[in-house]
Amino acid sequence: MTFAEQINAALFADPALPETPPVAVTGTGELPSCFATSDFAVATVSAAAGELAALRGDDAASVNRRHALMWFDMTLRPQGWTLPNLWDPIAGDYATADGWIRLHTNAPHHCAAALSVLGCDLDRAAVAKIVANWTAEDLETAVVAAKGCAAAMRPAEDWAHHPQGKAVAAEPLMDWTVTATDAAPVALHGVKILDLTRVLAGPVATRLLAGFGADVLRIDPPSWDEPGVVPEVTLGKRCAGLDLTQPDDRATFEALVRGADVMVHGYRRDALAGMGYNRDALRRLNPHLIDVSLNAYGNTGPWANRRGFDSLVQMSSGIAHTGMITAGANTPRPLPVQALDHGTGYLIAACVLRALRLRGATGTCTSARLSLARVAHLLASGGTRPYAGEALEETAQDLSPTIETTVWGTAQRIHFPIVTGVTQAHWPHPAGPLRRHRATWAP
Ligand SMILES: CC(C)(COP(=O)(O)OP(=O)(O)OC[C@H]1O[C@@H](n2cnc3c(N)ncnc32)[C@H](O)[C@@H]1OP(=O)(O)O)[C@@H](O)C(=O)NCCC(=O)NCCSC(=O)C(=O)O
C-alpha cells in the first residue's frame, strides 16, 4: 500500500463523514535519502491538508512539495540575529566497543543522567573515550535506567526480531478509542487546544492547527527549555507554565482541561497517569475532550515508557544502519531531516481534524495514540533504494513576505506548504519564549 493508502486506512472511518476533498500536489523536490523520505513527507502533510479542507468545507486543498520538504526542517530566517544551537556539547553518535550509540543530552536532566553513568565531565573527547569501552546495549540499558536518553544502532533485521520492534509492527498507525457519543459540534476557528507537547513532533501538529484558527495554549513544566527549537515551534501559540506537583497549578490545569476541546500530549505512555491524570481522570474532568497523544517507542511492548526522540528511534529501528550500509559509510547515516518528528506531527494534526469532523457529524468523541516508532515503520514500508535526491537550494521566492516580529528580532519564514480553498496559514502570535503567557483560555 502507498503511504497515502496506509494513512487513509488508519484515520477513523465513519459512513456519516463526507469524502475528504482532493489534495493537489504542486512543486518538486527530492531530499537525499535511501528511503522514500520526500514522498513520505508529502503524504503526511497532504493527509493534514485533506482533513483541514474537509473540516472547513473547502472543495480542495493544495500542498507545495518543495515547501513541505522545507517545513520538515527549520523554517525561520532571522534578520540580523542568530538561532541558538540545536544540540548541546555532547549530544551525538559515539563508537562503542561493538558498534554505535547515540546520546540525546539536550535537556539538562538527560545530560546529567548520561554523565552520571559515564562518570565524566561535559567534554566530548572524554565521553568518546569512555563510551569506547562499553558495549552499545549495556550503555543504552544503563543510561535508560538512569532516566536518560540513548539508543544503540541496530540493523533493521534485528529491530524486526526485537520484542519492541515486533510490538510496534503489530500496532495500528493510529490507535483510536471512542470516548463519548453525545458531544455538540465545535468550530475550527477558536477551538481550544491544550498542548502538552515538547520539541518537534507534537508542537509541529499544534503549530499547523494554530495557523488555521485554533486557540493553542502550550503548557510546560517549570524548568523545561528547548532553546534550539522554541523559535520554530511556538509560532501561533500562547505558552504558559504550570508545576503539576503544586495544588494551585493543578487546579489551574484542571480548569484548562474542563475548558479545552482538544488535548495533544507527548508525555511517555504512563507519565501523565503518574501525575494523577490517567484517561479516566481526564474524562471525569471533561467527558468531551478529544485526546491525541504521541510517545517515542509505541504504546505496547517493553519500551512503551522509554524516553525517546526522533534521532534515537532512527538508531533503534534500523534507519541509521540502513543509511550507513547503503551509503557505504562507516558512521551512522540518519535521514536528511527529522522526518519521524515532522511526519508524526502532521499525522497528529490529521487525527485532531478528523476527530473534530467526526464530532461535528455524529457527536462521537475519540482519542488517538501515535508513536515515532510506528511512524518509522510506515516510512520503512516504502522500501529502500540507492541514495537519490539533493539538498534544496533556497531562493528568495521560497520566503513568505510576512515579517514576523519576535522578542529576538524580526524574521521571515518559508512559505507554508498548505493552501485550503484559497486560505493560507496565518498565525495570531509570533514565536516566543516558553511560559510567557497566563495559563487561561481567552474569554
Ligand atoms: C520528551 C521526553 C523525552 C522528556 O523526557 P522527561 O522530561 O525525562 O520525561 P517525562 O516527560 O516523563 O517528565 C519528567 C518528569 O517531569 C514531570 N513533569 C512533567 N511535566 C510536569 C509539570 N508540568 N509539572 C511538574 N512535573 C512535570 C514528570 O512527571 C516526570 O517526573 P518523574 O517521573 O518523577 O521523572 C519524554 O516526555 C518522552 O519520551 N516523550 C514521548 C516522546 C516525545 O514527545 N519526544 C520528544 C518529541 S519528539 C522528538 O523526537 C523530537 O522532537 O526530537
Side-chain angles (χ1 to χ4, degrees):
M1 284 209 282
T2 64
F3 293 133
E5 285 165 351
Q6 293 183 64
I7 294 167
N8 286 337
L11 284 164
F12 196 100
D14 190 291
L17 289 178
E19 286 235 335
T20 306
V23 178
V25 178
T26 62
T28 57
E30 191 68 31
L31 298 175
S33 184
C34 62
F35 288 88
T37 305
S38 301
D39 290 346
F40 162 85
V42 172
T44 62
V45 176
S46 297
E51 288 306 308
L52 194 56
L55 183 62
R56 289 167 41 92
D58 294 327
D59 290 342
S62 69
V63 168
N64 182 294
R65 180 177 173 106
R66 175 178 172 82
H67 294 149
L69 299 181
M70 288 181 162
W71 274 76
F72 264 53
D73 208 329
M74 296 298 158
T75 63
L76 193 70
R77 300 294 178 264
Q79 300 177 322
W81 54 285
T82 49
L83 292 164
N85 271 345
L86 270 183
W87 301 102
D88 90 323
I90 61 161
D93 300 335
Y94 291 90
T96 60
D98 61 343
W100 288 89
I101 193 165
R102 184 170 183 86
L103 302 178
H104 200 296
T105 48
N106 283 349
H109 57 296
H110 296 158
C111 186
L115 293 179
S116 74
V117 170
L118 296 168
C120 66
D121 293 333
L122 190 68
D123 175 69
R124 205 173 179 93
V127 170
K129 207 165 156 199
I130 296 172
V131 171
N133 294 319
W134 284 77
T135 66
E137 275 200 54
D138 282 354
L139 183 54
E140 175 188 82
T141 303
V143 172
V144 167
K147 297 188 172 181
C149 299
M153 183 171 75
R154 290 178 168 77
E157 313 85 83
D158 288 12
W159 184 242
H161 294 104
H162 189 280
Q164 192 59 34
K166 285 201 268 189
V168 168
E171 287 185 10
L173 179 60
M174 301 161 183
D175 179 16
W176 294 91
T177 308
V178 171
T179 54
T181 52
D182 58 348
V186 282
L188 177 60
H189 194 84
V191 66
K192 293 185 176 61
I193 301 188
L194 191 56
D195 179 1
L196 306 181
T197 66
R198 286 173 278 175
V199 202
L200 288 175
V204 161
T206 49
R207 178 178 66 184
L208 163 68
L209 297 166
F212 288 92
D215 177 7
V216 177
L217 177 61
R218 171 172 166 157
I219 303 294
D220 280 283
S223 58
W224 178 269
D225 204 3
E226 44 187 46
V229 295
V230 161
E232 273 300 315
V233 298
T234 55
L235 177 63
K237 308 172 187 180
R238 292 182 299 123
C239 301
L242 287 178
D243 183 349
L244 295 178
T245 64
Q246 298 304 311
D248 286 357
D249 280 8
R250 288 180 74 84
T252 303
F253 177 72
E254 289 168 20
L256 291 174
V257 172
R258 281 192 201 94
D261 301 303
V262 177
M263 183 163 102
V264 182
H265 67 96
Y267 285 97
R268 292 175 300 119
R269 188 192 62 187
D270 297 341
L272 206 48
M275 289 187 274
Y277 299 114
N278 63 17
R279 277 188 167 183
D280 288 344
L282 291 170
R283 219 166 287 166
R284 276 195 298 278
L285 288 168
N286 182 346
H288 293 153
L289 188 69
I290 290 168
D291 173 7
V292 181
S293 62
L294 84 136
N295 80 355
Y297 280 102
N299 290 297
T300 59
W303 291 12
N305 269 308
R306 186 172 285 219
R307 293 168 172 80
F309 295 88
D310 173 316
S311 56
L312 299 183
V313 176
Q314 289 196 42
M315 289 291 268
S316 306
S317 63
I319 290 175
H321 180 264
T322 302
M324 181 176 94
I325 299 299
T326 310
N330 55 10
T331 56
R333 273 295 166 93
L335 300 170
V337 289
Q338 302 218 35
L340 307 182
D341 273 343
H342 289 272
T344 304
Y346 288 102
L347 294 181
I348 290 172
C351 286
V352 169
L353 294 161
R354 174 65 64 105
L356 288 170
R357 192 147 73 96
L358 185 70
R359 176 176 168 157
T362 67
T364 301
C365 281
T366 46
S367 73
R369 298 190 302 184
L370 296 86
S371 74
L372 301 178
R374 183 58 183 80
V375 171
H377 188 70
L378 171 69
L379 171 65
S381 76
T384 58
R385 58 190 187 183
Y387 265 87
E390 54 191 25
L392 301 170
E393 291 275 334
E394 188 177 316
T395 73
Q397 278 75 50
D398 291 317
L399 292 177
S400 159
T402 306
I403 303 293
E404 203 174 310
T405 305
T406 74
V407 297
W408 309 287
T410 56
Q412 281 179 282
R413 273 190 205 262
I414 301 292
H415 278 293
F416 195 65
I418 297 176
V419 177
T420 170
V422 293
T423 305
Q424 305 200 3
H426 167 76
W427 286 277
H429 308 283
L434 302 178
R435 293 177 286 274
R436 70 190 195 282
H437 293 107
R438 289 183 52 226
T440 178
W441 294 118

